[in-house]
Amino acid sequence: MRFLYPIAIVLVIISAFADRKKTQQSLKLAWKKFFSILPGFLTMISLLAVITLIFPLEKTGELLTAHANWLGLLIALSIGSAIFVPGFIAYPLSAVLLENGVPYYIIAGFTTSLMLVGFASLPIEIAYFGKKTAIIRNVCGFFLSLLISIVIGFLYGEF
Amino acid sequence: MKKFKNTLSWLIPAMVIGFATGARFSGFTPGAELFNNLWQYLKTLLLLLPPVFIIIGLFEVWIPRKYIEKHFGESHGISAWIWLMLLASTIVGGLYVSLPLAYSLYQKGIRLRLVYGFLGFSTICRIPMTFFEASFLGLKFTIIRYIVAIPLIILSSMLIENINRN
């Protein structure tokens, strides 16, 4: 994710050459926007820190390995919705779980809800788009993850 | 955007951060772990967010609203979905990065269902994530997920827009 820095710097330089005033204005705006959503970000990391303490990744892996059935899918969807794990950690872990006999449909439910549903980022989403839409979008995301995992289960012949 | 109510919105983070810091230095083990978690997430955020918000600031100042409204407004075409999908595929991090971006797009006059489409695409089409997925879980897995998810994202975005209008 460091590659965003050179992009941002080059864009700022180009912008400064084109129009100094506009560039100043945009940097000020960037700071204002960042600061006004900062409480949301801090709430998010606080929630994530607490959730990660309760559900460490190893424990999630053990839970999913122990319940290779519908209950496991429900657990996968719920924990996936609550925690935040970047892809470069989530996918290697999923590959290990597969080797340990966790079916594809549970992996699909876990990785998809991980990305689509964000319980901890709800404060940010509510601040931007309002409570109703934020909740509806996340509920939609949950069912979408469920559907994807059902299709995966069928196509991998697991049902 | 709804303003955070000043004192209240800082309360949860202040409590957790205060507790974790106190516990960290008094030697209470779960507290130290909490502190460690907090620090990891904070580092990730502070590394990722500055360039994101700088790009958002430039976008808001330089891109004319008229242009956005013309191509992504009420009478957008199918190409609008495709452009947003391409933009979304370059997102790094997760929802916490795509949410501020989506809000800027929304303020520029993008139709609501395209905003939600963008949010959805940013969760399922990210390029780095896709490579990880395909190499660890197999290309078949990734292809099925894309084929199922993309139409559902578009449908649910339309649904959310409709609910919002009533």
Side-chain angles (χ1 to χ4, degrees):
Chain A
M1 52 195 175
R2 306 267 161 93
F3 71 88
L4 278 176
Y5 279 88
I7 294 176
I9 291 168
V10 168
L11 286 176
V12 169
I13 291 171
I14 294 173
S15 166
F17 269 112
D19 190 330
R20 247 222 178 124
K21 226 175 189 167
K22 268 190 165 178
T23 311
Q24 256 173 9
Q25 199 187 334
S26 75
L27 289 177
K28 239 183 239 166
L29 188 69
W31 171 251
K32 219 181 83 189
K33 289 200 146 230
F34 175 69
F35 192 74
S36 68
I37 199 68
L38 190 60
F41 278 118
L42 292 178
T43 308
M44 179 182 87
I45 61 168
S46 303
L47 289 173
L48 282 176
V50 174
I51 295 168
T52 314
L53 193 66
I54 304 169
F55 286 109
L57 216 45
E58 312 89 68
K59 202 163 146 193
T60 308
E62 282 166 26
L63 265 174
L64 296 184
T65 316
H67 302 275
N69 50 28
W70 284 99
L71 183 64
L73 178 59
L74 206 65
I75 296 172
L77 287 169
S78 312
I79 298 183
S81 304
I83 64 176
F84 172 79
V85 186
F88 62 86
I89 296 175
Y91 292 113
L93 171 76
S94 302
V96 173
L97 292 180
L98 273 177
E99 270 173 34
N100 292 346
V102 178
Y104 274 97
Y105 71 91
I106 289 184
I107 300 292
F110 180 61
T111 57
T112 315
S113 59
L114 206 53
M115 307 300 166
L116 256 169
V117 190
F119 170 73
S121 55
L122 261 180
I124 302 174
E125 195 165 349
I126 288 172
Y128 281 134
F129 294 105
K131 199 181 271 173
K132 197 174 91 181
T133 25
I135 290 172
I136 294 172
R137 197 201 62 80
N138 280 281
V139 171
C140 279
F142 186 90
F143 283 105
L144 220 149
S145 312
L146 176 66
L147 268 172
I148 289 174
S149 70
I150 290 174
V151 173
I152 291 263
F154 267 112
L155 292 180
Y156 277 88
E158 288 171 337
F159 294 145
Chain B
M1 184 183 142
K2 215 181 68 195
K3 271 264 148 79
F4 277 102
K5 289 191 193 68
N6 271 334
T7 38
L8 203 67
S9 58
W10 294 92
L11 196 65
I12 296 180
M15 266 166 43
V16 175
I17 293 167
F19 174 75
T21 315
R24 163 77 175 78
F25 292 106
S26 64
F28 178 53
T29 325
E33 217 173 296
L34 190 66
F35 184 83
N36 195 29
N37 289 345
L38 262 178
W39 178 238
Q40 291 301 327
Y41 287 121
L42 190 67
K43 248 183 6 199
T44 312
L45 274 190
L46 291 184
L47 263 173
L48 186 56
L49 290 178
V52 170
F53 275 88
I54 287 173
I55 292 169
I56 287 176
L58 289 170
F59 166 80
E60 294 221 349
V61 171
W62 280 105
I63 308 293
R65 191 186 163 90
K66 255 198 204 131
Y67 172 82
I68 297 280
E69 269 178 348
K70 188 176 156 209
H71 295 281
F72 299 93
E74 281 301 309
S75 57
H76 67 84
I78 294 176
S79 61
W81 291 105
I82 295 168
W83 282 115
L84 285 175
M85 197 186 298
L86 289 176
L87 177 65
S89 68
T90 64
I91 295 286
V92 282
L95 272 172
Y96 62 92
V97 171
S98 47
L99 278 168
L101 208 60
Y103 185 66
S104 287
L105 293 171
Y106 179 55
Q107 279 187 315
K108 281 278 180 199
I110 284 203
R111 199 173 162 167
L112 198 57
R113 65 187 192 197
L114 290 175
V115 175
Y116 279 100
F118 168 76
L119 275 179
F121 294 145
S122 78
T123 62
I124 57 167
C125 306
R126 298 204 304 262
I127 294 167
M129 186 188 98
T130 305
F131 276 115
F132 267 107
E133 185 189 37
S135 54
F136 280 101
L137 300 178
L139 196 59
K140 181 182 165 193
F141 188 92
T142 302
I143 291 171
I144 297 172
R145 197 180 55 88
Y146 265 68
I147 292 174
V148 179
I150 288 171
L152 286 174
I153 288 287
I154 294 175
L155 274 176
S156 63
S157 313
M158 290 176 168
L159 177 81
I160 296 169
E161 186 189 70
N162 278 337
I163 292 172
N164 241 286
R165 289 198 169 168
N166 297 327

